[in-house]
Amino acid sequence: MIAIDYQNRKPIYEQIVEKFQKLILKEILPSGSQMPSVRSLAVELSINPNTIQKAYMTLEQNGYIYSVKGRGTFVAESTKLKEQKKESFLKKIRELVVEAKELEILEEECVNMFKNCWKEEKGS
């Protein structure tokens, strides 16, 4: 399901959080589905269960998962999460537009830069 890059400087729990966030937002892990138990995921990834617990705690604090006492951990509704991510993305775009105007970059040039970046990323 997920793989850890031990060469990455990012802490393992952050890698787990990011990978689960992507799986949830892409609905590979659908809303309401049960997450792997802390113990089973720790065994699968050969890492300390406390690391998984920290990742799950972060995911829960950010609204990606929720716990049901005695039943396990489940994926939260992703529609609201996607909307929040879009709002965050729009905020970043606005900040970039302000920066572009300060640098006197024309609108058309910005659009072309965005399109070129989009094409580059699509190819990877």
Side-chain angles (χ1 to χ4, degrees):
M1 183 181 289
I2 63 172
I4 302 300
D5 179 4
Y6 294 100
Q7 303 301 318
N8 192 329
R9 300 186 116 196
K10 199 173 280 188
I12 292 172
Y13 88 93
E14 285 183 15
Q15 292 182 49
I16 294 168
V17 167
E18 287 176 1
K19 291 189 178 166
F20 273 120
Q21 285 175 333
K22 287 179 184 176
L23 291 172
I24 291 168
L25 290 172
K26 290 181 177 183
E27 296 183 9
I28 294 168
L29 287 175
S31 300
S33 63
Q34 190 165 11
M35 296 285 288
S37 72
V38 168
R39 186 175 293 138
S40 68
L41 190 57
V43 168
E44 181 183 326
L45 298 175
S46 300
I47 57 176
N48 190 314
N50 292 334
T51 303
I52 305 295
Q53 188 61 48
K54 186 173 183 179
Y56 275 23
M57 188 173 67
T58 302
L59 287 164
E60 191 164 359
Q61 288 171 345
N62 293 329
Y64 284 86
I65 61 175
Y66 62 94
S67 298
V68 177
K69 192 169 180 103
R71 297 209 47 230
T73 307
F74 299 86
V75 176
E77 176 60 46
S78 63
T79 309
K80 187 177 177 183
L81 294 169
K82 284 182 184 178
E83 205 52 47
Q84 289 172 344
K85 285 293 222 180
K86 284 182 184 178
E87 287 175 26
S88 173
F89 177 72
L90 184 57
K91 182 181 176 187
K92 290 176 189 175
I93 289 175
R94 286 188 175 120
E95 290 169 359
L96 289 172
V97 166
V98 168
E99 188 175 341
K101 286 182 175 184
E102 288 171 355
L103 295 170
E104 298 178 357
I105 300 173
L106 300 174
E107 179 184 354
E108 186 177 327
E109 190 177 355
C110 283
V111 170
N112 287 333
M113 287 178 182
F114 187 86
K115 285 181 180 180
N116 289 335
C117 288
W118 189 273
K119 288 176 187 173
E120 289 172 13
E121 189 60 33
K122 236 179 173 179
S124 59

